[in-house]
Amino acid sequence: PGAKRMEVRKAFYRAAKARQFQAAWDLLASARRSGVADKHMYGVGLSIASSAGRTGWVDALWRELRQAPELRRTRERQPSEGQSARLNAPLCTALITAFGSDRDGSRLGSCRAVLQWAVEHGIANTTTYNAFLHCASRSIGGTASARRGRRRGGAAASDDTSATDAAALAVAMTDQALAQMGELGVARDARTAASAITVYGRAGRLDRARDVYEESGDVADTVVGNALIAAAARAGDAVLALDTLASLGDAASIVSYNAALQALVKSDQSLDRVAHALELRRAMAEAGLAEDEASVSSLLAIFGDGPLGEELLAERSLQQQQQQQQQQQQQQQ
């Protein structure tokens, strides 16, 4: 029997590695029935369910795992059905991540339920909260994407979740999560700040995004700065975007500059957009950052059809020709 159980586990990991989702799930079910499924197998199972887009599988594991601690406390005998794999912080994080990966971003309530379970059982940590905040950020963009897809499929607008309601819910839950972290003494890190800023930025709450950035202090890094620049770009606040970019200094990346350029494109503030765009181009060149398609698209939107736009197109055309020549030379060699 021991050898057979070990073979089931080996077969499960082989199927998971080969991305044979249904086979791996069936093997996990067998391991759960025989009581040999451990925490790592459950974690891999959640990853499989997420990759396969099978939220029903995630629901099944959530129902099973959250009962395990109760069974362990109230029964002296060993729990069956694989429930000896007690739900811990890494598994809570995996559950939230799996629910949050739902393609339409509609499982924020499930993510919140897992987080609350972790809090009630004293196992919530920074990683658990970060997974939840990432889920909250996806719930806004995901709902809009799913809504467009359903409308293309003929669904009525009244059947869709309101984007405003989705944003309000995500903001409220993010507020609660950040406040709860403070109450419980759970430390924030760069990912906490970046995810929260993304939620507020997508919801149009630039004031809250700025607050989180200022509160992040020493944990603020390029990713956190980029999140605020992106939020500012979404709101068309070029001044905030440029100020944040400047604060990053040498840590600014091509993503940082592209977001700042996008902010200039969308901004209706009284500033010289062309002058700022030229300054950003100069800074990018000095930093050794090559312009990409996003950079060029934003610059053309700012320069328009004038001499600067024509010059940029000519430069881009010359670069593409040089790249093609290099590729041809490499192929000949």
Side-chain angles (χ1 to χ4, degrees):
K4 184 176 182 181
R5 291 177 180 179
M6 184 60 69
E7 185 58 34
V8 169
R9 295 178 65 175
K10 288 181 178 180
F12 165 74
Y13 287 119
R14 284 197 298 268
K17 186 176 181 179
R19 297 180 64 82
Q20 297 172 348
F21 298 133
Q22 186 63 55
W25 177 256
D26 292 342
L27 287 164
L28 177 60
S30 176
R32 287 154 58 198
R33 286 192 299 270
S34 61
V36 299
D38 57 17
K39 295 180 178 65
H40 186 261
M41 291 185 70
Y42 276 94
V44 174
L46 286 167
S47 178
I48 289 171
S50 175
S51 299
R54 300 293 293 270
T55 54
W57 293 357
V58 183
D59 283 322
L61 292 179
W62 167 227
R63 285 193 302 269
E64 178 178 320
L65 285 168
R66 66 184 172 184
Q67 295 172 0
E70 188 66 25
L71 289 173
R72 183 181 288 264
R73 288 195 299 268
T74 57
R75 299 184 184 181
E76 293 182 358
R77 64 182 180 82
Q78 281 292 100
S80 58
E81 297 296 321
Q83 291 177 342
S84 56
R86 178 179 177 134
L87 188 56
N88 58 6
L91 282 175
C92 283
T93 300
L95 276 164
I96 294 172
T97 301
F99 279 130
S101 66
D102 189 74
R103 288 181 175 83
D104 66 359
S106 64
R107 301 303 299 270
L108 183 57
S110 298
C111 294
R112 176 62 184 174
V114 178
L115 176 63
Q116 191 58 37
W117 191 99
V119 170
E120 292 173 355
H121 289 78
I123 60 174
N125 58 22
T126 302
T127 306
T128 312
Y129 276 100
N130 286 350
F132 172 75
L133 292 171
H134 182 65
C135 176
S137 70
R138 284 178 57 89
S139 73
I140 302 177
T143 301
S145 175
R147 183 168 56 254
R148 288 193 295 271
R150 286 194 294 268
R151 285 179 181 169
R152 284 195 295 269
S158 59
D159 294 335
D160 298 326
T161 300
S162 165
T164 302
D165 292 343
L169 179 62
V171 166
M173 289 193 174
T174 299
D175 286 342
Q176 293 171 4
L178 293 177
Q180 197 172 59
M181 291 180 76
E183 294 169 359
L184 298 176
V186 178
R188 297 185 189 182
D189 61 11
R191 188 179 178 190
T192 311
S195 295
I197 289 171
T198 300
V199 172
Y200 293 131
R202 290 179 176 177
R205 292 297 306 276
L206 192 58
D207 56 331
R208 289 290 294 122
R210 187 188 296 109
D211 289 343
V212 172
Y213 183 76
E214 293 174 352
E215 293 166 2
S216 61
D218 293 338
V219 305
D221 59 6
T222 303
V223 175
V224 179
N226 288 350
L228 183 59
I229 298 173
R234 182 181 289 268
D237 191 334
V239 173
L240 177 59
L242 293 171
D243 287 346
T244 307
L245 176 65
S247 72
L248 292 178
D250 295 338
S253 65
I254 186 63
V255 175
S256 315
Y257 282 98
N258 284 347
L261 286 169
Q262 190 60 30
L264 286 173
V265 172
K266 294 185 177 181
S267 176
D268 58 3
Q269 296 167 317
S270 57
L271 45 75
D272 191 336
R273 296 195 306 162
V274 172
H276 282 294
L278 290 172
E279 176 60 25
L280 290 180
R281 286 198 80 190
R282 182 193 63 77
M284 289 170 65
E286 290 181 352
L289 298 173
E291 296 171 359
D292 58 14
E293 293 298 330
S295 314
V296 173
S297 177
S298 295
L299 287 167
L300 288 174
I302 296 169
F303 294 157
D305 298 329
L308 288 174
E310 294 176 356
E311 181 181 341
L312 176 59
L313 285 174
E315 290 178 8
R316 194 64 176 171
S317 176
L318 179 60
Q319 290 174 356
Q320 291 175 344
Q321 290 177 6
Q322 292 174 342
Q323 290 174 354
Q324 291 176 354
Q325 291 174 356
Q326 291 176 353
Q327 292 175 353
Q328 291 174 355
Q329 290 175 355
Q330 291 175 351
Q331 291 174 354
Q332 291 174 357
Q333 294 175 353

